[in-house]
Structures are given as structure tokens and as C-alpha cells.
Amino acid sequence: MNTAAAHNSPSAGILSTITHAAASSTKDRVAGFRVAFFKADLVAYFVLVLAAFLWLLIIISHCVLQRRYVKPRPFVDRPAEHYPPVTIIRPLKGLDLGLRRTLESSFRQEYPGVVEILFAVEDPDDPAIGVANELIECYPKTRARVLIGQDNVGINPKINNMMKAFAQAHSDLLWICDSNVYTDSGTLRRSVDLLLDNKRMGVIHHVVFSEAPATFGAMLDHAFLVTNHCRMYLAINAVGIASCLTGKSNIYYKSALDNVGGLAAFGHYLAEDNMIGQALWHSGWGHTMTGDLARQPADIGSLFEYCSRRIRWVRTRKYNVTLATFYEPLTESILLGALTSWALNHLYGFNVYSTFSTFLSCWFALDMLFFYRINHGSPQSWPWFAFSWICREILALPLWLVAIVGDTVTWRGQVFRFHLNGTVEVLK
């Protein structure tokens, strides 16, 4: 057959077309694989940057711990008349675990100035009134009163309960402290020292610290509060790029609160502490912390109660600090460890299992060290504490997933539904 004719035949044309198409398809697949690998590389580098940032926060938290919490801050030597009067507001509802001890800590403050204590109660038959009255009788030199009733300014029962105390407070400096919180006798003086040293400070807050867990649910909550929560709380506040506080034990200027609408302005939020902090922050008032702890007895009775509380916390934050809440799973040890192990394997060929086990071991060791130093000693049982920590870490992501898809929470017997702006309504 003529060679030229063979090349010009229809079958040769078809074969050439198929060959070119196959070659083009191969090039496309190779290009696609290269793009996919490039994207995977970018994701892997992002994961490593994120992991490095989280480890940096862990280091920062240990530095803050060393500077503030290992040794209590000494009192400033200033005349007693320089200390302003302070009103302590304690909202009460029911008999919290260890209520007498927690409330008595307000009477035992070593503060040179005048202290007024206001107990706010909704129900005249609340058994907490008896505990408060007993303490008032035991400390007759302290100005203390029980205020009964509520002003319905919103759906937040704590705000409604505190309104009468807020209106009747004799001092501009307010210390709002939950009924289940115990503080050291020097907490108030050290806090006011910070305010007097820096006139632009408008919020003094104390990190929550759980103690004496007696049930498995309480042990899980204890493991969370004294490691993950406490560690991140110290680190974020040390960085100081935004307001970050919880409402367990906070000191404010009443006049500053009035300038942002007073307590009533926050009655439509469940996370009133976060919203108050943000409002004062944006008004130019700085936040700072002493080396004191807001200690609360671990009062959770069951695993279900622990899960419910964690779901409520995450779901509440979702509508108040949305971006941080969606980012939260990436701050947990198991998920971040798994992603870091994959990234190091993908980029550098590290063994996934060895990397993951090393990552978790280091995270665990630093959390144990953190607890030992801030607690100034060992837990009741190291094996049980370690077991609780492991269970807490395993439950973190599943509970977050459950929380993130809902819009209702149950708190003190009432069901609330969130709106996109962070406010809530009571479901009848």
C-alpha cells in the first residue's frame, strides 16, 4: 500500500484524532492532579500554621499563669481613704452547692474601703434567703441587705433579678458575683488596686475554676474548666484583641454601665456577660484580670447534665461570637492533632500514628502541668482526673456538632429560642 495514501486514509485520521484526544486527556488529568496536590499543600500548610498558633496560645497561657497565678499579687500600699466604696451584688436562686461558704466569702474580703452586699432574690419563699439572713446576723458590721422581687426588663432571669440591686446600689463600683462562686479574701482589694492604677480599666474579671467534683458529670466539667477553658481564657485575654469574659465574677463601674444602657439594655440576651463586656470594650474601657480565681463547687450531677450544659454554652456562643464558635473545634486536641498528623505526613512524610500520639501526649502533659500549677497541687486523684480529661476531649466534637445545628436552649426550667442578632425569646 502507498504510504502517503495510508496516512491520508479515513482510518488514519480517526486514529490520529483519538491519539491526540488521549494525549490531551492525559495532560488534563495530570494538570488536574497537580492542581489538587497544590490545593492539598495549601490546606496542609494552613493546618500547620493553625497548629503553631494554638501551641503559641498554650505557651502564652503558661506564661500568664507563671506571672499572675503562681504567686498572688501583693497589695498596693496606699491609704485606706483612697479605696472607693464597693457594692457586691449576689443574685440568688435556690440552694446552690456550698452556698453558705460561697456567700460568706463576700463578708470576709480584706478591703480597706466601705463594702455593701446586696442579695437579690425573686421569690420571697426562696430557701437561699435564710442562708443570706444567717450571714447578715453573723457579720453585723457589714452593710448587707436582702432585696426581694424582680423587674421584668427582658427574658434574662439573672438580669431581671439584679435590677433592684443595681438601682439601689450606693456605690459606683459594682462587683457582680454569682451565688455559687467563692473568692479569696484578697480578691476585691487586688482588683480595685488594678482599677486605681489604670484609669482606663473598666472591667476586672476572674477566671472560673471548678473544684471538688463528686460525680462523673462533675468530673468532666471540672476537667474542661480547669484545663481547656481556663487555658484559653488566660491566653485570649493576654493577647487582648477583643473582649472575652464570663459573668461569674466581674467588677464594673455603674456609671460606665449606665452609659451603655445599664443592665436593662442586656435583658434580651442570655449571654449578658459577653454583651456587657463587648459594649464596654467598644466604649473604650479596658479589661484586665488579677491572679484570683472564681472558684465554684462542681455541681453537675450526671453525664446528661454535663452534655446539656456544654451544648447550651456552645449554642449560646454561636449567636453571640459566631466566628469564634465555628472555629472552636480546631482548638481541640483530637481534631487538631489528627489534622496536624495528616499535614506533616502529606508534606514531609511523617508517620501519622507516631505524630498523632506525640501530639496528644504533649497536649495532655501541658494540660496536667497547667492544672497542677494553677491549683497549687495535685487533684483528688490523678488517674480519675486523667480519665476525665480523655473523656472530655473525646466528647468535645460530638457535643459541638449537636449544639451547632440547634437554636434552642433550656436554662433554669425555661426554654429559649435564639434570634440571629443574639437576642432570645421564651417559648411558652
Side-chain angles (χ1 to χ4, degrees):
M1 179 184 291
N2 187 288
T3 304
H7 281 291
N8 291 327
S9 68
S11 60
I14 294 173
L15 181 60
S16 176
T17 301
I18 294 174
T19 302
H20 284 299
S24 177
S25 177
T26 301
K27 290 181 181 179
D28 290 342
R29 284 198 299 270
V30 171
F33 286 138
R34 287 176 178 173
V35 171
F37 274 111
F38 177 70
K39 290 181 178 179
D41 287 349
L42 288 180
V43 172
Y45 283 120
F46 172 78
V47 168
L48 294 184
V49 170
L50 177 64
F53 176 67
L54 261 296
W55 282 106
L56 177 61
L57 289 182
I58 290 175
I59 294 171
I60 290 174
S61 70
H62 280 265
C63 292
V64 174
L65 174 62
Q66 176 64 34
R67 183 165 57 91
R68 287 184 180 171
Y69 292 87
V70 171
K71 186 177 181 180
R73 185 177 189 265
F75 294 144
V76 176
D77 185 16
R78 56 168 51 96
E81 59 268 20
H82 288 186
Y83 286 90
V86 177
T87 295
I88 302 175
I89 298 178
R90 286 275 200 167
L92 306 179
K93 186 177 179 63
L95 294 176
D96 292 316
L97 184 64
L99 182 63
R100 182 183 176 88
R101 175 175 177 261
T102 58
L103 297 185
E104 190 173 17
S105 67
S106 293
F107 289 88
R108 299 173 65 86
Q109 291 300 309
E110 300 171 6
Y111 185 68
V114 176
V115 175
E116 173 189 42
I117 303 175
L118 300 180
F119 297 107
V121 194
E122 296 178 4
D123 186 355
D125 297 323
D126 195 308
I129 295 176
V131 178
N133 283 330
E134 287 178 8
L135 289 170
I136 292 173
E137 292 179 4
C138 290
Y139 296 88
K141 294 183 180 180
T142 303
R143 297 171 54 182
R145 292 180 290 155
V146 176
L147 305 178
I148 302 174
Q150 68 170 349
D151 300 300
N152 291 310
V153 297
I155 54 80
N156 188 310
K158 180 179 175 181
I159 292 289
N160 292 338
N161 189 17
M162 290 194 299
M163 286 303 300
K164 54 190 174 294
F166 183 78
Q168 297 184 39
H170 290 160
S171 311
D172 185 45
L173 203 54
L174 304 179
W175 183 7
I176 298 178
C177 190
D178 280 3
S179 59
N180 65 340
V181 166
Y182 167 88
T183 55
D184 182 78
S185 60
T187 300
L188 180 57
R189 182 170 178 176
R190 282 188 286 267
S191 300
V192 176
D193 279 339
L194 289 180
L195 289 176
L196 296 177
D197 289 342
N198 188 341
K199 299 301 183 182
R200 290 311 303 165
M201 284 298 165
V203 179
I204 305 294
H205 53 122
H206 311 110
V207 64
V208 180
F209 193 83
S210 171
E211 60 181 17
T215 66
F216 181 58
M219 291 169 63
L220 292 176
D221 194 53
H222 176 67
F224 166 70
L225 288 175
V226 302
T227 57
N228 180 285
H229 174 76
C230 192
R231 167 170 43 78
M232 292 297 293
Y233 197 84
L234 297 190
I236 293 172
N237 277 284
V239 174
I241 59 175
S243 170
C244 176
L245 60 86
T246 56
K248 285 293 182 180
S249 176
N250 298 324
I251 297 177
Y252 315 99
Y253 288 109
K254 184 180 180 182
S255 54
L257 285 174
D258 285 333
N259 287 336
V260 294
L263 281 184
F266 306 96
H268 292 282
Y269 300 94
L270 277 189
E272 83 290 337
D273 49 358
N274 175 69
M275 302 309 294
I276 290 173
Q278 288 191 39
L280 293 175
W281 179 274
H282 293 305
S283 297
W285 290 104
H287 301 9
T288 191
M289 304 166 66
T290 65
D292 298 288
L293 303 174
R295 296 182 178 271
Q296 65 174 37
D299 58 352
I300 291 182
S302 66
L303 174 61
F304 175 79
E305 190 177 347
Y306 165 76
C307 293
S308 298
R309 177 177 290 187
R310 293 296 306 127
I311 290 171
R312 184 175 74 242
W313 274 34
V314 173
R315 199 166 285 172
T316 301
R317 289 200 304 275
K318 181 180 71 169
Y319 289 95
N320 290 276
V321 282
T322 305
L323 183 61
T325 305
F326 279 98
Y327 168 75
E328 185 176 304
L330 296 176
T331 68
E332 298 287 355
S333 62
I334 294 179
L335 180 59
L336 184 62
L339 291 174
T340 302
S341 301
W342 165 81
L344 289 174
N345 174 265
H346 176 78
L347 293 173
Y348 306 111
F350 282 45
N351 182 274
V352 170
Y353 301 105
S354 298
T355 304
F356 184 65
S357 60
T358 302
F359 185 100
L360 287 185
S361 297
C362 293
W363 195 287
F364 171 80
L366 286 175
D367 266 3
M368 296 303 104
L369 177 62
F370 182 92
F371 170 78
Y372 181 82
R373 297 176 73 204
I374 199 169
N375 190 57
H376 300 286
S378 302
Q380 295 172 327
S381 168
W382 275 116
W384 275 110
F385 183 62
F387 177 70
S388 302
W389 183 91
I390 293 170
C391 292
R392 206 294 305 180
E393 299 293 314
I394 293 172
L395 286 171
L397 182 58
L399 291 178
W400 182 88
L401 291 172
V402 172
I404 212 70
V405 297
D407 63 355
T408 63
V409 297
T410 302
W411 184 40
R412 291 190 178 273
Q414 289 184 303
V415 180
F416 301 89
R417 171 171 288 157
F418 285 95
H419 299 296
L420 292 178
N421 63 357
T423 61
V424 295
E425 63 173 318
V426 180
L427 297 182
K428 301 298 183 181

